[in-house]
Amino acid sequence: MVIVLGLFLVLPILMALWVSLLHWDGQSNPFSGQAKFAGLDNYRALLVDDGLDRTLFATSLRNNAYYVLLTVPVQTVLALGLALIVNQRLLRARSALRTAFFFPSVTSSIAVSTIFLFLFQGSGAVNTALSWIGVKGPNWFNDPRGVLSMLLGGLGLVDTGHPTGPLADQSFLGLSWFEWLAGPSVAMCTIILLAVWTTSGTFMLIFLAALQDIPRELEEAAAIEGVNRRQMLRYVTLPALRPVLFLVLTLGLISTWQVFDQVYVMSQGAPGNTTLTPAFLSYSSAFDDADFGQGAAIAFILLALILTMTAAQRYLLRERAPRNRRSR
């Protein structure tokens, strides 16, 4: 097993790390000395130097950050809610409901993405349904406006066309704070909706297995003590689900930072790079721009970001030991 992991995991990672230190166009052997050694130039272009590379990378980070912040909590809460529903012993057709909720997770993401393209067209089924209640739906995949900036603009608090003030004057990684805080675009919200719909079923099964492992005697003892359903969920169920909750959040965090196939099929970063993600930017830099060194550098920055956020999440969800009270 160590040999297999070394050949197919550790060795490719080390090779990719070497490529991230080169200016390599993919046409020669990167280990023969034909590619120009760049050192940390690829990383500096993404994180330090002013230019299009840093702006695109910052834009992809902003888009993906909103994708993570909205997708992970919503899919976790929805999955837990579905698991609690189908875990009811007196619920009829439990098996059918479990299959129905899990079905989107086993469907091809390419097929689902294509269906969503038809559903969210300007004249698609979603806008048609909205028109029945008097709402004019947007042109979903061609609308680059951030939903938070639209909300602030609608309230008259911000001029979204010409923002002024500290948010517009101060910048980070080449983007103004107003651009960072504009929120996900309308197009990105559609991709978020797709992600929640397709992944909640998988996490539902994980929660369901954990719920069925909770000792029935624990629930019966709590019921004898007069605990209601809300208290049961808060003081019995959720503490018992802490390890599984950490697993679900970790899997969700990793998968959302690596989102690629939905973006590739549905938008390829459009409109206006508002659905661009680091994973798709890494692919585009390597295979479209023939800059494999920069593509590999993006991948390693993304890896470092995922490891950092996973460690922070583990720290926040750790099991805290009770404090010792001083005896009087």
Side-chain angles (χ1 to χ4, degrees):
M1 182 59 66
V2 172
I3 295 175
V4 171
L5 288 176
L7 288 176
F8 295 100
L9 183 63
V10 178
L11 183 59
I13 290 176
L14 295 178
M15 294 169 66
L17 181 61
W18 171 251
V19 169
S20 72
L21 304 177
L22 304 176
H23 286 306
W24 183 48
D25 59 3
Q27 301 298 319
S28 59
N29 185 348
F31 307 104
S32 63
Q34 299 178 19
K36 180 181 178 182
F37 182 75
L40 298 178
D41 287 351
N42 291 322
Y43 294 92
R44 279 194 290 265
L46 294 169
L47 300 174
V48 179
D49 298 340
D50 291 333
L52 181 61
D53 293 335
R54 190 180 70 166
T55 301
L56 286 177
F57 183 64
T59 301
S60 70
L61 287 179
R62 178 202 62 186
N63 299 337
N64 216 144
Y66 281 114
Y67 181 85
V68 172
L69 289 174
L70 291 176
T71 301
V72 173
V74 173
Q75 74 183 7
T76 303
V77 172
L78 180 59
L80 179 58
L82 294 176
L84 291 171
I85 291 173
V86 298
N87 193 46
Q88 300 292 324
R89 297 187 182 92
L90 300 180
L91 180 67
R92 295 183 178 180
R94 286 189 301 169
S95 298
L97 288 175
R98 293 173 185 175
T99 302
F101 294 149
F102 182 66
F103 183 74
S105 300
V106 297
T107 307
S108 168
S109 61
I110 305 300
V112 175
S113 300
T114 304
I115 292 173
F116 264 63
L117 282 174
F118 286 102
L119 291 176
F120 285 89
Q121 284 182 345
S123 58
V126 173
N127 281 352
T128 300
L130 291 175
S131 66
W132 294 343
I133 57 176
V135 176
K136 183 180 179 181
N139 197 354
W140 298 90
F141 289 106
N142 293 312
D143 197 334
R145 297 175 296 172
V147 292
L148 293 182
S149 64
M150 290 170 57
L151 177 61
L152 295 176
L155 296 174
L157 300 177
V158 175
D159 182 5
T160 57
H162 301 87
T164 57
L167 292 180
D169 298 335
Q170 303 296 325
S171 63
F172 176 68
L173 291 179
L175 294 183
S176 68
W177 282 110
F178 178 80
E179 292 175 307
W180 279 101
L181 300 175
S185 67
V186 175
M188 178 58 80
C189 288
T190 309
I191 300 178
I192 291 172
L193 180 61
L194 167 65
V196 171
W197 188 72
T198 55
T199 57
S200 297
T202 300
F203 296 136
M204 176 202 70
L205 288 186
I206 298 176
F207 278 127
L208 182 61
L211 287 172
Q212 294 177 349
D213 270 347
I214 298 177
R216 186 175 298 182
E217 294 79 8
L218 187 62
E219 298 178 352
E220 292 174 350
I224 293 174
E225 295 294 330
V227 174
N228 57 36
R229 291 193 174 211
R230 184 176 179 180
Q231 293 171 328
M232 181 81 73
L233 177 63
R234 180 178 179 181
Y235 296 109
V236 178
T237 305
L238 290 181
L241 293 179
R242 182 187 293 270
V244 178
L245 181 62
F246 172 74
L247 172 64
V248 169
L249 289 175
T250 301
L251 293 176
L253 183 68
I254 293 174
S255 63
T256 49
W257 274 110
Q258 294 178 336
V259 59
F260 173 80
D261 47 353
Q262 295 92 339
V263 175
Y264 182 84
V265 174
M266 302 174 76
S267 64
Q268 298 201 1
N273 294 322
T274 57
T275 61
L276 184 68
T277 62
F280 184 80
L281 181 62
S282 175
Y283 163 83
S284 178
S285 298
F287 292 96
D288 293 338
D289 301 335
D291 192 347
F292 285 82
Q294 189 174 92
I298 294 172
F300 277 98
I301 295 175
L302 183 59
L303 173 62
L305 181 63
I306 292 174
L307 293 177
T308 301
M309 296 189 70
T310 302
Q313 176 181 285
R314 183 180 182 85
Y315 175 78
L316 294 174
L317 294 178
R318 73 190 187 281
E319 192 75 35
R320 292 176 174 84
R323 296 181 179 178
N324 295 325
R325 296 182 179 179
R326 295 180 179 178
S327 60
R328 295 182 179 179

